[in-house]
Amino acid sequence: QTVEIILENIHQFRKIEELSYTDSMTRLYNYRYFYKRLSEEILRAKRFSRFLALSIFDIDEFKVFNDNLGHQTGDDLLRQLGELLLDSVRSIDIVCRYGGEEFCVIMPESDRKSCRQFMERLRKRVVDHEFSSRFSTGRHTITLSAGGAIYPSDARRVDRLIYCADMALLEAKRS
């Protein structure tokens, strides 16, 4: 019986840990997990002298989408985008909801060229995808803006890498 209690405690601990690292709406990793894993992946990239790409992107005009079709439709769109993201990355990539309608992908062993290729492939997949919701009629299309940064060429620290990717995202939104 003691072993059963220990196993149940381990199970409960893992469940709580998973909840603390997971966004409840999209079931993607959340910001807390993102920051932890980005730190770990930068250390790994440094240790093995490898590149690491970080892509941050958001949904264009998402506020207008929510205002016109309702927040529940917007939530459905976020969930579907999360699924599309998971289906678009390699098994070693880490997909997270950064906040609101912003998402990020940590791409170990990826250089600038592969980061650009990924962002373009994702942009095209999203544009071609028809999103739907039980709260609205018809199919909906969206666009994304994306920015990327590469360790170590753009930045060598976590906060700076995030900043560089975010600035690239803002530049993409302006253009």
Side-chain angles (χ1 to χ4, degrees):
Q1 192 176 23
T2 305
V3 172
E4 287 178 23
I5 292 171
I6 291 170
L7 291 175
E8 179 60 25
N9 285 343
I10 290 170
H11 175 73
Q12 290 299 323
F13 175 79
R14 287 185 177 149
K15 194 178 237 178
I16 290 168
E17 184 179 44
E18 180 184 327
L19 288 171
S20 75
Y21 285 141
T22 307
D23 173 61
S24 61
M25 183 186 311
T26 61
R27 294 201 167 75
L28 298 175
Y29 292 117
N30 62 19
Y31 182 81
R32 178 186 293 120
Y33 188 80
F34 160 73
Y35 201 88
K36 173 185 179 298
R37 280 306 302 274
L38 183 59
S39 301
E40 293 168 358
E41 291 301 329
I42 284 178
L43 288 174
R44 185 186 331 273
K46 181 178 182 177
R47 180 176 181 200
F48 295 107
S49 299
R50 303 280 171 88
F51 288 108
L52 169 72
L54 172 63
S55 176
I56 298 179
F57 54 93
D58 72 4
I59 302 168
D60 297 323
E61 306 295 333
F62 188 66
K63 182 181 180 341
V64 174
F65 186 91
N66 270 343
D67 289 348
N68 290 335
L69 297 171
H71 288 86
Q72 291 173 314
T73 300
D75 291 349
D76 281 348
L77 185 142
L78 291 172
R79 279 189 281 276
Q80 290 170 56
L81 180 57
E83 291 170 12
L84 187 65
L85 278 169
L86 287 175
D87 191 46
S88 301
V89 299
R90 304 169 302 170
S91 62
I92 63 170
D93 296 336
I94 301 137
V95 180
C96 305
R97 183 172 179 200
Y98 192 68
E101 75 278 8
E102 287 188 326
F103 296 83
C104 57
V105 179
I106 302 168
M107 296 176 281
E109 301 188 29
S110 294
D111 59 12
R112 190 168 314 281
K113 181 180 176 186
S114 59
C115 183
R116 282 189 183 133
Q117 288 171 339
F118 165 75
M119 290 189 299
E120 179 57 26
R121 188 174 69 249
L122 179 64
R123 184 199 65 76
K124 183 164 179 18
R125 256 191 113 178
V126 168
V127 165
D128 292 344
H129 189 82
E130 291 185 343
F131 295 87
S132 62
S133 174
R134 64 186 184 273
F135 299 105
S136 65
T137 58
R139 302 283 185 182
H140 311 290
T141 58
I142 60 169
T143 59
L144 298 178
S145 293
I150 309 301
Y151 170 90
S153 49
D154 292 325
R156 294 179 176 271
R157 294 187 339 264
V158 173
D159 291 336
R160 185 71 185 163
L161 192 66
I162 295 169
Y163 174 81
C164 290
D166 201 32
M167 290 301 102
L169 169 63
L170 292 176
E171 182 62 31
K173 284 202 125 1
R174 282 193 288 266
S175 62

